[in-house]
Amino acid sequence: MMLARVADALYWIGRYVERAEHMCRLSDVMLDASLDRTDGAGQVTRIVLSAVGDQDSVPAADPYRLALALALDRQDPGSIASSVAQARENARQVREQITTETWERLNLIYLRVTAPDAARTFNDDAGAFLHEVIADLHLFKGAADATMSHGEGWGFLMLGVYLERAQLIGRLLKVCFSAQGPLDDHIALVGALRMSCALEPYLRRFTADVQPGKVLDFLLLDEEFPRSMRFCTARIEEYLGIAARHAGVASNALPVRLAGRLRARLQYADMTELHGAGGLIDAVLDDCAALHQSIYDTFVAYPLETRLSA
């Protein structure tokens, strides 16, 4: 059975790495959209502002300042630099649990986003800067997959990745499809797909027919796309099961039941029966929040007597 502090650190490495990648995509899509002065481009900026819950901090008319803040503002706990720094700090605390390859890759990303000339590099070519960070984060995940044992620690790492991804995509969908009616602008819909790294997979399934209902169905309920909420919830249940078995947690314990309910909620959802997706997205986000708290209570902050034999 793994120490609680180790499980907690690995879980948060996964969450922070996924958060950093998501912020890179939001920033990149917003900067691209800023080159176009249409209403759809303005919607993309408003989507990003709402998705990060930061509508009032930076004027919507200045997407470059917003992107720079999302990337390098160390005072913002949700920025790319802060997320990478938190992931590295958690990795440092459990250095013996991860491989040299994963540690070195995460360290390289940290040095890139915290370098003294990072702002100048961003200013020279923001798109290239963000793409390189995304590529490095992919290399970190690949190195972890290829070099770490897929046991209890791996389960907590991936549990953090998929729970964070489900919540980030859920918040994005909530902004796009439930707050003030669904998006209907082509540029904004394509932007939402790109923020979810879903444009090419969507086009392969639906060709160039970009419709609000199809975009929502793809990002919410697609069984095979790794960034759909349904795919994420299935992986959450899978990796939580791995962690629970190693920790000796009962198969009917609260987090296991919550993960099963979360997976079933999306597996058996039918878009034709839904008059609006807002209720479903809200329910899934509430389940994710409850699951996070349950994971913490069960695997990290549990009473010691519950794990000691009588």
Side-chain angles (χ1 to χ4, degrees):
M1 178 179 162
M2 179 170 283
L3 292 174
R5 69 169 182 81
V6 176
D8 187 45
L10 290 168
Y11 172 74
W12 278 107
I13 292 171
R15 294 203 65 144
Y16 282 124
V17 166
E18 188 64 26
R19 190 175 303 176
E21 183 181 341
H22 184 72
M23 289 302 171
C24 283
R25 294 190 192 288
L26 294 186
S27 302
D28 184 44
V29 174
M30 182 177 59
L31 286 174
D32 280 353
S34 69
L35 301 176
D36 195 344
R37 297 186 178 276
T38 64
D39 290 342
Q43 283 192 44
V44 170
T45 301
R46 285 190 288 275
I47 289 170
V48 172
L49 288 166
S50 298
V52 301
D54 210 16
Q55 296 96 320
D56 301 326
S57 63
V58 180
D62 191 354
Y64 175 80
R65 283 183 54 203
L66 174 61
L68 180 61
L70 287 176
L72 300 178
D73 185 1
R74 295 293 299 275
Q75 302 303 314
D76 179 359
S79 72
I80 298 165
S82 294
S83 298
V84 170
Q86 288 294 326
R88 178 182 178 274
E89 175 58 23
N90 277 279
R92 187 190 64 77
Q93 294 176 17
V94 293
R95 175 64 186 84
E96 74 285 358
Q97 297 289 329
I98 62 175
T99 60
T100 299
E101 288 80 0
T102 53
W103 167 251
E104 288 181 347
R105 181 53 54 184
L106 191 55
N107 218 24
L108 284 173
I109 306 170
Y110 171 78
L111 293 175
R112 182 191 299 278
V113 299
T114 60
D117 62 345
R120 182 177 58 79
T121 305
F122 186 92
N123 186 55
D124 289 344
D125 191 340
F129 180 89
L130 294 167
H131 290 175
E132 287 173 358
V133 174
I134 291 174
D136 282 341
L137 291 168
H138 286 174
L139 288 172
F140 167 80
K141 293 177 181 176
D145 184 27
T147 61
M148 285 180 64
S149 295
H150 287 206
E152 187 176 9
W154 174 255
F156 280 108
L157 180 69
M158 298 310 295
L159 183 58
V161 167
Y162 281 106
L163 187 54
E164 182 73 18
R165 185 178 297 176
Q167 290 186 296
L168 293 172
I169 297 297
R171 289 172 194 150
L172 184 61
L173 291 180
K174 183 176 179 178
V175 170
C176 294
F177 294 100
S178 64
Q180 299 174 343
L183 291 179
D184 55 6
D185 184 272
H186 181 80
I187 292 177
L189 286 169
V190 170
L193 286 169
R194 289 187 59 209
M195 291 177 204
S196 309
C197 197
L199 181 58
E200 292 178 352
Y202 176 91
L203 294 179
R204 275 193 286 275
R205 178 174 169 185
F206 295 107
T207 65
D209 187 19
V210 181
Q211 299 294 332
K214 292 179 178 178
V215 171
L216 177 62
D217 180 72
F218 187 70
L219 293 177
L220 190 62
L221 300 178
D222 191 87
E223 184 179 1
E224 299 176 346
F225 178 57
R227 295 181 184 275
S228 80
M229 294 188 74
R230 178 180 173 183
F231 186 96
C232 292
T233 56
R235 300 291 82 74
I236 289 170
E237 184 181 36
E238 175 186 343
Y239 289 114
L240 183 60
I242 293 174
R245 282 196 302 276
H246 283 281
V249 172
S251 59
N252 62 347
L254 180 58
V256 180
R257 286 187 282 116
L258 287 175
R261 186 178 72 182
L262 180 60
R263 186 264 307 157
R265 190 187 293 279
L266 288 170
Q267 181 175 348
Y268 298 109
D270 185 349
M271 289 297 294
T272 61
E273 298 175 354
L274 296 175
H275 298 295
L280 176 61
I281 295 171
D282 284 341
V284 171
L285 289 174
D286 289 344
D287 283 350
C288 287
L291 180 57
H292 166 74
Q293 185 60 49
S294 179
I295 290 170
Y296 189 82
D297 293 341
T298 304
F299 296 100
V300 179
Y302 55 84
L304 186 59
E305 58 270 21
T306 62
R307 299 298 173 84
L308 296 176
S309 56

